[in-house]
Amino acid sequence: MATAMSVSAVSPPAAAVTRPRTMVCVPATARAPREMAAELAAAAALGADVAELRLDCLAGFAPRRDLPVILAKPRPLPALVTYRPKWEGGEYEGDDESRFEALLLAMELGAEYVDVELKVADKFMKLISGRKPDNCKLIVSSHNYETTPSSEELANLVAQIQATGADIVKIATTATEIVDVAKMFQILVHCQVPIIGLVMNDRGFISRVLCPKYGGFLTFGSLKKGKESAPAQPTAADLINLYNIRQIGPDTKVFGIIGKPVGHSKSPILHNEAFRSVGFNAVYVPFLVDDLAKFLDTYSSPDFAGFSCTIPHKEAAVRCCDEVDPVARDIGAVNTIVRRPDGKLVGYNTDYVGAISAIEDGIKASESEPTDPDKSPLAGRLFVVIGAGGAGKALAYGAKEKGARVVIANRTFARAQELANLIGGPALTLADLENYHPEEGMILANTTAIGMHPNVNETPLSKQALRSYAVVFDAVYTPKETRLLREAAECGATVVSGLEMFIRQAMGQFEHFTGMPVDDYKFRAIASSLDNPNTMKPRL
């Protein structure tokens, strides 16, 4: 491809197996020396391997006064000392000579690593000639805050950094699309010297989690949310506990959720813990994808073994798969993609079973009289679906299969009409839906993102209109109780949370991903942590 090499060529070589374990480095960005020393201790408590001491963040920094405080021994962690100038994304605005003297002093005080920028590396090397302690490693770094250059340009950059005499190469670039990260993975795999290679911002997030697979020297994780030293930096706790980074290696299979947006998803929490619970060597990450076809073509290695697919890619996924399960083809939407050993992509839809069974069970639980076990509680009911995208198609298909009379409502009437024609029912606009009340006992299912975090005050239908419904389901599960569900409950309706659909469709995905039968009890026990992921026990 012109934009990025395919990761099909990036299967970690045997040499990568012998590389040291990728370290987790926590940036310390406090404004005062004693606070920075405390952050170093806090990083150690999280299970980090090294702390980056960002001297440029210190207010009124005086090297000979402050460095002995920050680097006092015994230290709970090795120290990586960085004094980043403004022209390379830092806060320091002074001259290089003063900065270099501070870095040299840090070396003399026992800092294990010192970072200096490529632009001034030769100048710094001349200054420290013969004065660098043997136990201190020099990192020479290059940061690109706009783009990710081609693989060839990155390879040339590595050679240029090596030529300075660096012990460790560091390159940080910026992703304009997620396929940019493939270029960095290529560099990590083939580099013959220790290398830190990261791609910044949300589209580059996977570089921070998957770097152990490709032999990266270290990755950065913040002390906590709000303490990031670079765009889209995860917390160290998430790297260690959520993504299980200590266990990621060359043979680790990669799964993840493809979407836009994708940061709100709780799928990584659920699937990573489920993988861990059965000893499955895999990691599940968020993929922020703009172009699905380009993404799947780029990350074509067998190690990229499966994907969950969410808004807005479920319909495009049908066209991108080599084979599509008949039910998913009938629905016209794929939410699960599995790469077979022969490289073929197979698409499935687990949304419709997850959602419809959740709604059926919600209705049964609300009824005082036992119902006919052979008849769906949806049979004969008027079932209104809001949304005509992939999830809307799945709900409409599932409800019709159960004998419901399906109505499609959508903000864009043409889209509603298109799906309604396929299902064999009427179409409405959302404005029409406000006064739609042909009968009692109707069921409403919202499949749009309206009301999803952070837009929690939005709702697809007014409270007044909700009085016409006996049952209301919302596919949105962040938050668990949306405004739609809250107001529906206040109107006396039976409400069904999207979290239940999420759990059930994820069970189907787990079976497709692993080839293992799902343990319903264990899976639900894992899912119980979703409302409070901080309850997950640290694994250090």
Side-chain angles (χ1 to χ4, degrees):
M1 293 182 62
T3 52
M5 284 189 190
S6 168
V7 180
S8 61
V10 189
S11 293
V17 178
T18 62
R19 292 183 185 179
R21 184 188 76 178
T22 299
M23 296 190 295
V24 174
C25 179
V26 172
T29 58
R31 309 302 287 182
R34 293 197 183 279
E35 290 174 11
M36 187 169 282
E39 287 184 341
L40 193 149
L46 284 174
D49 301 293
V50 61
E52 181 186 33
L53 307 179
R54 287 293 300 267
L55 303 184
D56 51 300
C57 294
L58 291 166
F61 174 54
R64 297 204 171 274
R65 179 193 68 197
D66 298 334
L67 278 175
V69 175
I70 302 167
L71 293 170
K73 293 187 176 180
R75 281 196 304 276
L77 283 179
L80 190 171
V81 176
T82 301
Y83 201 2
R84 189 77 71 216
K86 204 149 194 174
W87 49 261
E88 188 86 351
E91 296 187 29
Y92 177 75
E93 297 186 80
D95 61 81
D96 282 338
E97 287 69 22
S98 299
R99 191 165 65 90
F100 290 170
E101 289 296 338
L103 293 174
L104 180 58
L105 178 59
M107 288 180 173
E108 293 169 354
L109 290 172
E112 287 78 6
Y113 307 93
V114 165
D115 180 317
V116 68
E117 303 74 30
L118 172 61
K119 184 177 174 181
V120 295
D122 288 341
K123 193 171 159 186
F124 184 67
M125 289 300 237
K126 288 176 184 175
L127 173 71
I128 66 167
S129 178
R131 300 166 69 186
K132 182 170 84 71
D134 292 339
N135 66 340
C136 182
K137 301 296 184 186
L138 181 64
I139 300 170
V140 174
S141 59
S142 171
H143 298 77
N144 185 326
Y145 291 96
E146 295 180 0
T147 62
T148 297
S150 69
S151 296
E152 292 76 13
E153 289 172 302
L154 288 174
N156 290 336
L157 186 57
V158 169
Q160 191 180 350
I161 292 174
Q162 283 183 262
T164 66
D167 297 304
I168 300 163
V169 172
K170 179 187 175 186
I171 299 175
T173 64
T174 299
T176 57
E177 53 185 340
I178 196 169
V179 296
D180 286 339
V181 184
K183 294 180 273 189
M184 189 63 76
F185 289 159
Q186 290 276 358
I187 296 302
L188 288 178
V189 161
H190 296 295
C191 190
Q192 299 301 305
V193 298
I195 181 170
I196 304 163
L198 300 169
V199 185
M200 295 178 284
N201 80 19
D202 291 334
R203 288 169 175 79
F205 179 84
I206 60 170
S207 72
R208 299 181 176 279
V209 177
L210 299 182
C211 56
K213 182 172 176 64
Y214 299 103
F217 184 75
L218 63 75
T219 187
F220 292 90
S222 67
L223 200 56
K224 60 183 179 180
K225 287 189 183 299
K227 295 285 285 183
E228 299 84 1
S229 62
Q233 191 177 85
T235 65
D238 278 352
L239 286 172
I240 295 167
N241 302 330
L242 168 55
Y243 296 106
N244 205 21
I245 198 167
R246 303 287 194 222
Q247 304 306 316
I248 297 176
D251 298 327
T252 300
K253 295 292 186 185
V254 180
F255 297 84
I257 180 163
I258 297 168
K260 184 184 178 182
V262 77
H264 68 282
S265 176
K266 294 183 179 180
S267 292
I269 301 172
L270 186 58
H271 283 288
N272 280 316
E273 188 64 21
F275 291 160
R276 182 165 22 215
S277 73
V278 296
F280 188 62
N281 183 15
V283 63
Y284 187 103
V285 295
F287 295 108
L288 178 56
V289 172
D290 301 286
D291 185 321
L292 180 62
K294 186 186 286 188
F295 169 82
L296 292 171
D297 189 42
T298 302
Y299 295 94
S300 56
S301 161
D303 283 356
F304 284 78
F307 311 99
S308 308
C309 209
T310 190
I311 296 171
H313 299 303
K314 293 183 182 185
E315 294 163 276
V318 176
R319 301 186 294 274
C320 291
C321 289
D322 299 296
E323 296 177 17
V324 178
D325 178 76
V327 172
R329 189 168 293 285
D330 286 346
I331 293 170
V334 160
N335 80 316
T336 307
I337 301 173
V338 175
R339 178 171 277 116
R340 292 191 320 217
D342 64 3
K344 299 290 187 183
L345 296 174
V346 185
Y348 303 90
N349 191 301
T350 65
D351 276 338
Y352 81 102
V353 172
I356 294 300
S357 64
I359 295 170
E360 287 180 319
D361 288 350
I363 293 172
K364 290 173 184 176
S366 69
E367 293 175 342
S368 54
E369 296 292 326
T371 55
D372 183 351
D374 297 324
K375 182 182 177 183
S376 169
L378 303 184
R381 303 278 289 270
L382 195 62
F383 193 103
V384 178
V385 177
I386 299 179
K393 288 180 175 180
L395 266 288
Y397 174 91
K400 184 182 179 183
E401 287 288 297
K402 295 293 185 176
R405 295 170 290 127
V406 180
V407 176
I408 307 298
N410 194 61
R411 195 170 274 165
T412 307
F413 181 70
R415 290 270 287 164
Q417 201 165 34
E418 184 182 348
L419 178 54
N421 289 340
L422 289 173
I423 293 298
L428 302 170
T429 65
L430 286 187
D432 294 333
L433 197 59
E434 284 293 326
N435 299 305
Y436 185 72
H437 185 193
E439 61 185 67
E440 298 299 323
M442 295 192 300
I443 301 170
L444 180 70
N446 173 46
T447 69
T448 73
I450 299 172
M452 186 172 73
H453 180 82
N455 303 312
V456 295
N457 293 320
E458 294 181 1
T459 183
L461 207 58
S462 70
K463 187 173 182 178
Q464 180 63 34
L466 287 173
R467 300 184 190 281
S468 302
Y469 295 90
V471 180
V472 175
F473 164 80
D474 196 343
V476 172
Y477 66 89
T478 51
K480 182 178 179 181
E481 184 186 59
T482 59
R483 178 182 168 187
L484 176 69
L485 293 185
R486 183 176 66 253
E487 293 183 347
E490 290 167 358
C491 292
T494 296
V495 298
V496 182
S497 168
L499 185 60
E500 188 60 31
M501 169 192 172
F502 169 72
I503 292 169
R504 295 180 189 214
Q505 63 83 30
M507 287 181 182
Q509 290 184 334
F510 177 85
E511 292 187 341
H512 284 304
F513 291 158
T514 65
M516 302 178 188
V518 70
D519 183 325
D520 188 283
Y521 178 80
K522 183 183 287 186
F523 208 88
R524 287 186 176 279
I526 294 168
S528 67
S529 70
L530 292 178
D531 283 336
N532 184 15
N534 293 325
T535 60
M536 295 172 66
K537 293 180 181 179
R539 295 166 181 80
L540 305 182

